[in-house]
Amino acid sequence: MRKMNYQKILEIAKRRGIVYPSFEPYGGVSGFYDYGPVGKRIKENIENLIREVFIIKEGCFEVEAPTLTPEKVWIASGHVKSFSDLMVECLNCGEAYRADHLVEKHLNISCDGKSKEDIEKLIKEKEIKCPKCKGSLGEIFHYNLMFKTQIGPGKDKLTGYLRPETAQTTYLAFNRLWEVCRKRLPLGVLQIGHSFRNEISPRQGMIRLREFSQAEIQFFVDPENKFVSEKKFSEVKDIKVKLLDKEEREYELSLEEAVKKKIISLQIIAYFLGLSLKLFEDIGINPKKLKLRQHKDEERAFYSTDTWDIEFHSENFGRVELVGISDRTDYDLSAHKNLSGEDFSVTYNGKKFIPHVIEIAYGIDRPFYCVLESSYIEEDKRRYFKFPVRIAPYLAGVFPLVNKDKLPEKAQEVFKILKEEKIYCFYDDSGSIGKRYARADEVGVPFSITIDYDTLKDNTVTIRNRDTREQIRVDIKQICSYLRKS
Amino acid sequence: MRKMNYQKILEIAKRRGIVYPSFEPYGGVSGFYDYGPVGKRIKENIENLIREVFIIKEGCFEVEAPTLTPEKVWIASGHVKSFSDLMVECLNCGEAYRADHLVEKHLNISCDGKSKEDIEKLIKEKEIKCPKCKGSLGEIFHYNLMFKTQIGPGKDKLTGYLRPETAQTTYLAFNRLWEVCRKRLPLGVLQIGHSFRNEISPRQGMIRLREFSQAEIQFFVDPENKFVSEKKFSEVKDIKVKLLDKEEREYELSLEEAVKKKIISLQIIAYFLGLSLKLFEDIGINPKKLKLRQHKDEERAFYSTDTWDIEFHSENFGRVELVGISDRTDYDLSAHKNLSGEDFSVTYNGKKFIPHVIEIAYGIDRPFYCVLESSYIEEDKRRYFKFPVRIAPYLAGVFPLVNKDKLPEKAQEVFKILKEEKIYCFYDDSGSIGKRYARADEVGVPFSITIDYDTLKDNTVTIRNRDTREQIRVDIKQICSYLRKS
């Protein structure tokens, strides 16, 4: 049943242009997906909601940096040295595996935080073989997950990497941003864009992509002032959450209690967890399936004082990380200072220091998938996505009841009015009205507008609500304001 | 004087967070620029206007594909074989040059359409040396401009390239898109995203980037039906344009006349040229500086029947190509059919054929720069960018007249109202009002809202217009509608 839902979602996603595997004519390459026309509109809507929350509401700035980046950036950040997965190859057939995933699958355990030696030992002791040909496995080694290339020709050529995260490309501009924001803290900087991870063997559809979208916010703060105002915190403090702390203790309490009991170490982390929970609910993710998970000591980056993820419990994929919120301290700015010689310290409130960073790192593709899984409804014979109005690919479909008697002309008039009001909508005149409703439902369009014989008489149309299936009559002049206030 | 303006624009751009070179702490890498907070908002506004024109008005669909792409795609498209520039290296100091640029600069001629042999001959005959050390130059060779990398590990690894254009990644999904759009022509597909070009030696700031943004529309048409309706064409037909045809003849006439006189071979190309001219004017590019230039026979791709660029005549950079509009015929779909075996033919109106493609390929970074150059105004002691309201980074700034007597609290109230209406605006309370106006002007903010002592009495604010410097009083309740209708 569960898997079946996934298959149905995937089938609709491919057939109706939500998402589909990239490069299909050439057989596809694992870890790459295209957003089709419907999916791209939903993705845009999600990204724009993140902008509203972080730029307009939280006062952050947005930047856009290149994805191709010279090597020094990733030497400083530590990625050249340690952004790797443990890999093992079959000595017989040559198949490459991620060693921890192989062990997890074979022994049905979690390898979170296990070292190379631990995993090596498990493979030897449990005599794990190649799942494909049963051949023996070779030595485990660190495989760097960054895509490498050369920038420029000849003697001046540089090694470049495709960025594995947006964060470092934001940090590099810190001194410019400090001037631009008029030298005040906190300073929040959002970057939305593609990042890359040369996964060893991605096999989980949209959940593990080699090229993916991120929305990462670097929130620069005074190290002695890592909290938001009580007024701000009061917006989220009563949200009840499920938590799993680093000792694997489970809790169900409010964010305020979680901070008071020091389960979440920093109030500002709790604030952004709350803001993210609201955001996920607004884009249509089922809040009942969300859990806050603290990184274990051995899993957390050594410089971070505390890191929390929000995870979605997917029917198909199990735990899916949607956002990571982390106190990155002054680690990154200091690392770039040490390698580049550029000073990133600021003088603020009479003190000189390198700002600390609270990072809020959203994936886009994973939340997108979780929206699909959360919104998919089967009801009688209907299948539809109950996308929130703000997220739906189109606000409305426009249908002439029949293709004669001047109804198409009138329907085109209505379509034109909506377009002039910059409303994303579509026109459909093929098949029966029932079929057109079903098609609109299938991609989660909230409103269907039908132009019928009464329209010619009294200038009203029928607007059908996707969720309630109720139909009301609205004057053509009122359509836009009706749709907008919904 | 001209160069001085460029220096001033660049100085403001860097200081105020419009654009600045990437990776500055590491000395920068030519061909890479960041969009800062102000520039990113303008860029978003430009991209969203393209969406409005092509998705809402023209009924195109938008897709998003990966930028990292397996080799076969670029073998089929011809890029692996011929997407290259002629390169020459100095035998003494090793410096790499683009051979045509070297000849152009040295001899003050154009190399458009010149062959490898032509350029080789010119370098020998005119005894062109290394501009840096006067050393002799080596042999000329083709240097492929795609960034190359490896996808995946071990025996299954693939060669991958960063895409040099979005177009091919749109074509690959054609069969899916054909189903999604309900099998009708014309079918327009927009893709906005990053593309890459490993330039030999980029030295023109934002005009020649190694990583850049594009908005490319692939307009699939019936090969026997390459025109838009007369009604549609009438929207643009009277636009007067300056044209330079492939024989370098100059004309100044309307688009309709250009089609009638067969200067522009296809009416649909003339339509999209007209649509693009309107778009460029809407984003704030000076229309007087735009010229339509037809590709010469030797410059045009061999499969294209006609190609036109719109060029901006920049004070600093000379001719800058903003968009290329080209009849690509069925070349690309046929090439992918031949290599992949996938059939891209459709059955439509009783005929079976592979659709032809009219491509409208916009750069984003170059139009962005041309907006800056077109909008920059020096007037008395003022310097400002006269961005169109739609394009400006913020719609308004909110200023308390003084930081006491409850004015900041009132100003924050106004700021909150604007934010709740999802208006991009900012709050500034530092320095004199005059300085705050100047700062807002400098980044082209159209409206400045000042909260003063009268506000406390009658709930009205002063709204100052950037361009006219006129100030009017508006009731707080009316601010949003006043700003929105401007």
Side-chain angles (χ1 to χ4, degrees), chain B residues 286-303:
Chain B
N286 184 349
K288 291 185 188 141
K289 296 198 170 177
L290 296 177
K291 195 182 267 186
L292 277 47
R293 192 178 71 80
Q294 187 174 35
H295 280 210
K296 296 178 184 174
D297 288 336
E298 62 273 23
E299 170 191 9
R300 199 178 60 236
F302 71 89
Y303 51 80

PDB file of all heavy atoms in Angstrom, chain B residues 286-303:
ATOM      1  N   ASN B 286      18.028  51.471 -22.626  1.00  0.00           N
ATOM      2  CA  ASN B 286      17.785  52.585 -23.545  1.00  0.00           C
ATOM      3  C   ASN B 286      17.549  52.070 -24.969  1.00  0.00           C
ATOM      4  O   ASN B 286      18.464  51.553 -25.605  1.00  0.00           O
ATOM      5  CB  ASN B 286      19.004  53.506 -23.511  1.00  0.00           C
ATOM      6  CG  ASN B 286      18.802  54.749 -24.353  1.00  0.00           C
ATOM      7  OD1 ASN B 286      17.850  54.846 -25.126  1.00  0.00           O
ATOM      8  ND2 ASN B 286      19.707  55.700 -24.194  1.00  0.00           N
ATOM      9  N   PRO B 287      16.315  52.209 -25.489  1.00  0.00           N
ATOM     10  CA  PRO B 287      16.012  51.626 -26.806  1.00  0.00           C
ATOM     11  C   PRO B 287      16.797  52.283 -27.943  1.00  0.00           C
ATOM     12  O   PRO B 287      16.993  51.662 -28.985  1.00  0.00           O
ATOM     13  CB  PRO B 287      14.506  51.853 -26.966  1.00  0.00           C
ATOM     14  CG  PRO B 287      14.144  52.896 -25.975  1.00  0.00           C
ATOM     15  CD  PRO B 287      15.161  52.865 -24.879  1.00  0.00           C
ATOM     16  N   LYS B 288      17.237  53.504 -27.718  1.00  0.00           N
ATOM     17  CA  LYS B 288      17.991  54.180 -28.781  1.00  0.00           C
ATOM     18  C   LYS B 288      19.344  53.525 -29.023  1.00  0.00           C
ATOM     19  O   LYS B 288      19.967  53.747 -30.045  1.00  0.00           O
ATOM     20  CB  LYS B 288      18.205  55.649 -28.401  1.00  0.00           C
ATOM     21  CG  LYS B 288      16.926  56.444 -28.422  1.00  0.00           C
ATOM     22  CD  LYS B 288      17.204  57.908 -28.158  1.00  0.00           C
ATOM     23  CE  LYS B 288      15.874  58.648 -27.991  1.00  0.00           C
ATOM     24  NZ  LYS B 288      15.957  59.650 -26.925  1.00  0.00           N
ATOM     25  N   LYS B 289      19.787  52.758 -28.067  1.00  0.00           N
ATOM     26  CA  LYS B 289      21.106  52.129 -28.206  1.00  0.00           C
ATOM     27  C   LYS B 289      21.017  50.693 -28.722  1.00  0.00           C
ATOM     28  O   LYS B 289      22.004  49.959 -28.700  1.00  0.00           O
ATOM     29  CB  LYS B 289      21.814  52.150 -26.858  1.00  0.00           C
ATOM     30  CG  LYS B 289      22.091  53.569 -26.386  1.00  0.00           C
ATOM     31  CD  LYS B 289      23.140  53.586 -25.334  1.00  0.00           C
ATOM     32  CE  LYS B 289      23.577  55.001 -25.049  1.00  0.00           C
ATOM     33  NZ  LYS B 289      24.565  55.015 -23.964  1.00  0.00           N
ATOM     34  N   LEU B 290      19.820  50.285 -29.119  1.00  0.00           N
ATOM     35  CA  LEU B 290      19.644  48.903 -29.575  1.00  0.00           C
ATOM     36  C   LEU B 290      19.640  48.818 -31.098  1.00  0.00           C
ATOM     37  O   LEU B 290      19.070  49.676 -31.773  1.00  0.00           O
ATOM     38  CB  LEU B 290      18.341  48.326 -29.019  1.00  0.00           C
ATOM     39  CG  LEU B 290      18.268  48.202 -27.494  1.00  0.00           C
ATOM     40  CD1 LEU B 290      16.899  47.676 -27.068  1.00  0.00           C
ATOM     41  CD2 LEU B 290      19.373  47.289 -26.959  1.00  0.00           C
ATOM     42  N   LYS B 291      20.272  47.793 -31.625  1.00  0.00           N
ATOM     43  CA  LYS B 291      20.295  47.567 -33.070  1.00  0.00           C
ATOM     44  C   LYS B 291      20.089  46.078 -33.338  1.00  0.00           C
ATOM     45  O   LYS B 291      20.563  45.237 -32.571  1.00  0.00           O
ATOM     46  CB  LYS B 291      21.650  48.025 -33.623  1.00  0.00           C
ATOM     47  CG  LYS B 291      21.671  48.173 -35.135  1.00  0.00           C
ATOM     48  CD  LYS B 291      23.039  48.590 -35.643  1.00  0.00           C
ATOM     49  CE  LYS B 291      23.198  50.093 -35.782  1.00  0.00           C
ATOM     50  NZ  LYS B 291      24.486  50.467 -36.418  1.00  0.00           N
ATOM     51  N   LEU B 292      19.376  45.770 -34.434  1.00  0.00           N
ATOM     52  CA  LEU B 292      19.159  44.379 -34.819  1.00  0.00           C
ATOM     53  C   LEU B 292      20.235  43.999 -35.832  1.00  0.00           C
ATOM     54  O   LEU B 292      20.403  44.677 -36.845  1.00  0.00           O
ATOM     55  CB  LEU B 292      17.773  44.226 -35.461  1.00  0.00           C
ATOM     56  CG  LEU B 292      16.575  44.075 -34.515  1.00  0.00           C
ATOM     57  CD1 LEU B 292      16.578  45.080 -33.385  1.00  0.00           C
ATOM     58  CD2 LEU B 292      15.266  44.137 -35.298  1.00  0.00           C
ATOM     59  N   ARG B 293      20.941  42.936 -35.556  1.00  0.00           N
ATOM     60  CA  ARG B 293      22.023  42.536 -36.453  1.00  0.00           C
ATOM     61  C   ARG B 293      21.828  41.096 -36.917  1.00  0.00           C
ATOM     62  O   ARG B 293      21.682  40.189 -36.090  1.00  0.00           O
ATOM     63  CB  ARG B 293      23.382  42.670 -35.758  1.00  0.00           C
ATOM     64  CG  ARG B 293      24.566  42.545 -36.720  1.00  0.00           C
ATOM     65  CD  ARG B 293      25.898  42.720 -36.007  1.00  0.00           C
ATOM     66  NE  ARG B 293      26.204  41.578 -35.164  1.00  0.00           N
ATOM     67  CZ  ARG B 293      26.706  40.412 -35.614  1.00  0.00           C
ATOM     68  NH1 ARG B 293      26.979  40.253 -36.893  1.00  0.00           N
ATOM     69  NH2 ARG B 293      26.952  39.423 -34.771  1.00  0.00           N
ATOM     70  N   GLN B 294      21.829  40.916 -38.222  1.00  0.00           N
ATOM     71  CA  GLN B 294      21.683  39.572 -38.782  1.00  0.00           C
ATOM     72  C   GLN B 294      23.044  38.879 -38.818  1.00  0.00           C
ATOM     73  O   GLN B 294      24.056  39.511 -39.169  1.00  0.00           O
ATOM     74  CB  GLN B 294      21.129  39.688 -40.214  1.00  0.00           C
ATOM     75  CG  GLN B 294      20.775  38.360 -40.848  1.00  0.00           C
ATOM     76  CD  GLN B 294      20.105  38.539 -42.202  1.00  0.00           C
ATOM     77  OE1 GLN B 294      20.439  39.460 -42.948  1.00  0.00           O
ATOM     78  NE2 GLN B 294      19.169  37.668 -42.524  1.00  0.00           N
ATOM     79  N   HIS B 295      23.072  37.595 -38.462  1.00  0.00           N
ATOM     80  CA  HIS B 295      24.338  36.855 -38.569  1.00  0.00           C
ATOM     81  C   HIS B 295      24.731  36.702 -40.028  1.00  0.00           C
ATOM     82  O   HIS B 295      23.889  36.448 -40.878  1.00  0.00           O
ATOM     83  CB  HIS B 295      24.203  35.468 -37.937  1.00  0.00           C
ATOM     84  CG  HIS B 295      24.310  35.488 -36.441  1.00  0.00           C
ATOM     85  ND1 HIS B 295      24.795  34.448 -35.715  1.00  0.00           N
ATOM     86  CD2 HIS B 295      24.014  36.466 -35.549  1.00  0.00           C
ATOM     87  CE1 HIS B 295      24.779  34.756 -34.429  1.00  0.00           C
ATOM     88  NE2 HIS B 295      24.294  35.970 -34.299  1.00  0.00           N
ATOM     89  N   LYS B 296      26.023  36.867 -40.273  1.00  0.00           N
ATOM     90  CA  LYS B 296      26.541  36.641 -41.624  1.00  0.00           C
ATOM     91  C   LYS B 296      26.502  35.149 -41.953  1.00  0.00           C
ATOM     92  O   LYS B 296      26.486  34.318 -41.039  1.00  0.00           O
ATOM     93  CB  LYS B 296      27.982  37.137 -41.707  1.00  0.00           C
ATOM     94  CG  LYS B 296      28.089  38.636 -41.497  1.00  0.00           C
ATOM     95  CD  LYS B 296      29.527  39.087 -41.540  1.00  0.00           C
ATOM     96  CE  LYS B 296      29.555  40.575 -41.210  1.00  0.00           C
ATOM     97  NZ  LYS B 296      30.912  41.081 -41.078  1.00  0.00           N
ATOM     98  N   ASP B 297      26.542  34.841 -43.229  1.00  0.00           N
ATOM     99  CA  ASP B 297      26.446  33.432 -43.632  1.00  0.00           C
ATOM    100  C   ASP B 297      27.521  32.578 -42.964  1.00  0.00           C
ATOM    101  O   ASP B 297      27.261  31.467 -42.505  1.00  0.00           O
ATOM    102  CB  ASP B 297      26.566  33.302 -45.160  1.00  0.00           C
ATOM    103  CG  ASP B 297      25.302  33.821 -45.849  1.00  0.00           C
ATOM    104  OD1 ASP B 297      24.239  33.833 -45.189  1.00  0.00           O
ATOM    105  OD2 ASP B 297      25.377  34.226 -47.020  1.00  0.00           O
ATOM    106  N   GLU B 298      28.728  33.107 -42.891  1.00  0.00           N
ATOM    107  CA  GLU B 298      29.830  32.295 -42.349  1.00  0.00           C
ATOM    108  C   GLU B 298      29.827  32.249 -40.818  1.00  0.00           C
ATOM    109  O   GLU B 298      30.493  31.415 -40.200  1.00  0.00           O
ATOM    110  CB  GLU B 298      31.191  32.797 -42.876  1.00  0.00           C
ATOM    111  CG  GLU B 298      31.567  34.203 -42.491  1.00  0.00           C
ATOM    112  CD  GLU B 298      31.025  35.275 -43.445  1.00  0.00           C
ATOM    113  OE1 GLU B 298      30.025  35.027 -44.145  1.00  0.00           O
ATOM    114  OE2 GLU B 298      31.600  36.381 -43.470  1.00  0.00           O
ATOM    115  N   GLU B 299      29.045  33.115 -40.213  1.00  0.00           N
ATOM    116  CA  GLU B 299      28.988  33.193 -38.754  1.00  0.00           C
ATOM    117  C   GLU B 299      27.848  32.341 -38.212  1.00  0.00           C
ATOM    118  O   GLU B 299      27.917  31.782 -37.116  1.00  0.00           O
ATOM    119  CB  GLU B 299      28.778  34.674 -38.398  1.00  0.00           C
ATOM    120  CG  GLU B 299      28.465  35.046 -36.987  1.00  0.00           C
ATOM    121  CD  GLU B 299      28.023  36.531 -36.891  1.00  0.00           C
ATOM    122  OE1 GLU B 299      27.809  37.184 -37.945  1.00  0.00           O
ATOM    123  OE2 GLU B 299      27.884  37.016 -35.769  1.00  0.00           O
ATOM    124  N   ARG B 300      26.792  32.223 -39.023  1.00  0.00           N
ATOM    125  CA  ARG B 300      25.578  31.519 -38.619  1.00  0.00           C
ATOM    126  C   ARG B 300      25.834  30.012 -38.591  1.00  0.00           C
ATOM    127  O   ARG B 300      26.584  29.501 -39.425  1.00  0.00           O
ATOM    128  CB  ARG B 300      24.475  31.848 -39.627  1.00  0.00           C
ATOM    129  CG  ARG B 300      23.070  31.583 -39.150  1.00  0.00           C
ATOM    130  CD  ARG B 300      22.066  32.008 -40.218  1.00  0.00           C
ATOM    131  NE  ARG B 300      22.281  31.262 -41.443  1.00  0.00           N
ATOM    132  CZ  ARG B 300      22.510  31.802 -42.630  1.00  0.00           C
ATOM    133  NH1 ARG B 300      22.537  33.105 -42.798  1.00  0.00           N
ATOM    134  NH2 ARG B 300      22.705  31.046 -43.678  1.00  0.00           N
ATOM    135  N   ALA B 301      25.219  29.316 -37.627  1.00  0.00           N
ATOM    136  CA  ALA B 301      25.309  27.858 -37.616  1.00  0.00           C
ATOM    137  C   ALA B 301      24.805  27.324 -38.957  1.00  0.00           C
ATOM    138  O   ALA B 301      23.826  27.850 -39.496  1.00  0.00           O
ATOM    139  CB  ALA B 301      24.464  27.302 -36.472  1.00  0.00           C
ATOM    140  N   PHE B 302      25.458  26.283 -39.476  1.00  0.00           N
ATOM    141  CA  PHE B 302      25.148  25.832 -40.843  1.00  0.00           C
ATOM    142  C   PHE B 302      23.700  25.396 -41.027  1.00  0.00           C
ATOM    143  O   PHE B 302      23.136  25.501 -42.098  1.00  0.00           O
ATOM    144  CB  PHE B 302      26.100  24.695 -41.268  1.00  0.00           C
ATOM    145  CG  PHE B 302      25.820  23.403 -40.554  1.00  0.00           C
ATOM    146  CD1 PHE B 302      24.910  22.482 -41.070  1.00  0.00           C
ATOM    147  CD2 PHE B 302      26.454  23.093 -39.354  1.00  0.00           C
ATOM    148  CE1 PHE B 302      24.646  21.293 -40.413  1.00  0.00           C
ATOM    149  CE2 PHE B 302      26.188  21.919 -38.682  1.00  0.00           C
ATOM    150  CZ  PHE B 302      25.286  21.023 -39.213  1.00  0.00           C
ATOM    151  N   TYR B 303      23.058  24.930 -39.926  1.00  0.00           N
ATOM    152  CA  TYR B 303      21.700  24.411 -40.052  1.00  0.00           C
ATOM    153  C   TYR B 303      20.650  25.501 -39.943  1.00  0.00           C
ATOM    154  O   TYR B 303      19.485  25.280 -40.221  1.00  0.00           O
ATOM    155  CB  TYR B 303      21.444  23.352 -38.972  1.00  0.00           C
ATOM    156  CG  TYR B 303      21.806  23.835 -37.580  1.00  0.00           C
ATOM    157  CD1 TYR B 303      20.953  24.653 -36.859  1.00  0.00           C
ATOM    158  CD2 TYR B 303      23.030  23.494 -37.011  1.00  0.00           C
ATOM    159  CE1 TYR B 303      21.302  25.108 -35.604  1.00  0.00           C
ATOM    160  CE2 TYR B 303      23.385  23.952 -35.749  1.00  0.00           C
ATOM    161  CZ  TYR B 303      22.512  24.752 -35.056  1.00  0.00           C
ATOM    162  OH  TYR B 303      22.866  25.206 -33.811  1.00  0.00           O
TER     163      TYR B 303
END
